[in-house]
Amino acid sequence: EDQVTQSPEALRLQEGESSSLNCSYTVSGLRGLFWYRQDPGKGPEFLFTLYSAGEEKEKERLKATLTKKESFLHITAPKPEDSATYLCAVHMLIQGAQKLVFGQGTRLTINP
Amino acid sequence: NAGVTQTPKFRVLKTGQSMTLLCAQDMNHEYMYWYRQDPGMGLRLIHYSVGEGTTAKGEVPDGYNVSRLKKQNFLLGLESAAPSQTSVYFCASSYSMRLAGSSYNEQFFGPGTRLTVL
């Protein structure tokens, strides 16, 4: 059973076309949710941490939001350099153990 | 600062061979982690360390061993490589991994090691 699910798997947008990526989780007791960006052939790079429902954080064209069961990464007027795979990771308590569980990622392509 | 570095960047092994992946960080982080990343799957934690001389198992530890003899270095060993260990391996470090109440701090990742086991 998937505990952290990202959708869509891949998304292709035109430059300037805003959209949102989704990260949903099925385990209660969220301790924190992380967003990372990963460029091809590189390691993930930290973007945001969200701790509680209703929290929002922004960085340039990206805004991350959090509800009780999911997080959205909104991309406003994206540019080709925003093309990357975006990963979310959820810190949760599973059977008494702390765990950081990553989603499979959304591969975002921005066409000029 | 170099951040987190990994050696080697690429490696091809034959089944049964052994090797060690080296991770080094210059940020004075207490916590270090080894992950593997496979197509269609999220990053999965192999082993981690909360300080010099300490290590612990993660989600997928079988077939791997680790050592943290120095605070800045975290080694991942494969004693007898298997094709199932073909993957991209990432090392990461962080200031702390708070276990009670709060959350993990952000992790800083290395560039990865692409390992193929034939």
Side-chain angles (χ1 to χ4, degrees), chain A residues 37-112:
Chain A
R37 169 192 170 124
Q38 186 174 22
D39 293 300
K42 296 189 176 180
E45 178 183 345
F46 172 77
L47 292 172
F48 305 108
T49 308
L50 302 167
Y51 291 105
S52 56
E55 189 175 359
E56 298 183 354
K57 288 193 177 173
E58 288 188 65
K59 181 180 179 179
E60 295 180 356
R61 295 176 291 280
L62 299 176
K63 183 169 82 172
T65 62
L66 182 65
T67 70
K68 287 187 177 180
K69 288 297 181 184
E70 59 190 349
S71 175
F72 291 94
L73 184 64
H74 306 278
I75 302 177
T76 303
K79 298 181 178 181
E81 53 262 41
D82 294 321
S83 297
T85 296
Y86 290 86
L87 306 173
C88 75
V90 176
H91 177 205
M92 58 180 75
L93 197 62
I94 300 177
Q95 297 177 341
Q98 307 273 349
K99 275 197 165 185
L100 185 66
V101 180
F102 280 83
Q104 305 95 316
T106 293
R107 188 172 65 255
L108 177 66
T109 304
I110 308 299
N111 294 319

